[in-house]
Amino acid sequence: ALMRLLSNVKNPLVLLLAALGMLSVFTGDLRAAGHLHDGGSGAGIAFFQELRADKSAEKLQAMVSNTATVVRGGKEEELPLRG
């Protein structure tokens, strides 16, 4: 989960917003410093959306069983697939 959060923070748009926010702080334009907040919010939202999507995918995967039909000795047989 930490690696995913770091990958969201490394997003070029997030980095640009952070740089603009820091520049605004240094120049005294605190109203424009909201770019820091925007970048952090965007990274946080993306992180939690991806986390929820992963959990949903895991639940769907648990509901699906993959099998193969094989013929052995003239008889058809369903066997589970192993990853």
Side-chain angles (χ1 to χ4, degrees), residues 17 20-22 24-25 29-38:
L17 289 172
L20 290 173
M22 286 187 276
S24 297
V25 169
D29 187 3
L30 296 181
R31 192 177 67 163
H35 295 299
L36 279 170
H37 177 267
D38 294 343

Side-chain angles (χ1 to χ4, degrees), residues 8 13 19 23 25-26 39 42 46 48 53 59-60 63 71 76 80-81:
N8 285 328
L13 181 60
L23 182 64
V25 169
F26 290 133
F48 285 111
K59 288 179 184 177
L60 286 172
M63 293 173 19
V71 179
E76 285 190 6
L81 295 177

Side-chain angles (χ1 to χ4, degrees), residues 7-18:
S7 72
N8 285 328
V9 171
K10 289 192 297 185
N11 180 320
L13 181 60
V14 172
L15 294 174
L16 178 64
L17 289 172

Side-chain angles (χ1 to χ4, degrees), residues 41-78:
S41 296
I45 289 170
F47 171 74
F48 285 111
Q49 285 178 333
E50 289 177 13
L51 198 61
R52 286 181 59 198
D54 284 349
K55 288 183 181 182
S56 295
E58 286 174 7
K59 288 179 184 177
L60 286 172
Q61 185 65 34
M63 293 173 19
V64 174
S65 64
N66 294 319
T67 61
T69 304
V70 298
V71 179
R72 290 188 178 161
K75 291 184 178 182
E76 285 190 6
E77 191 177 342
E78 289 284 324

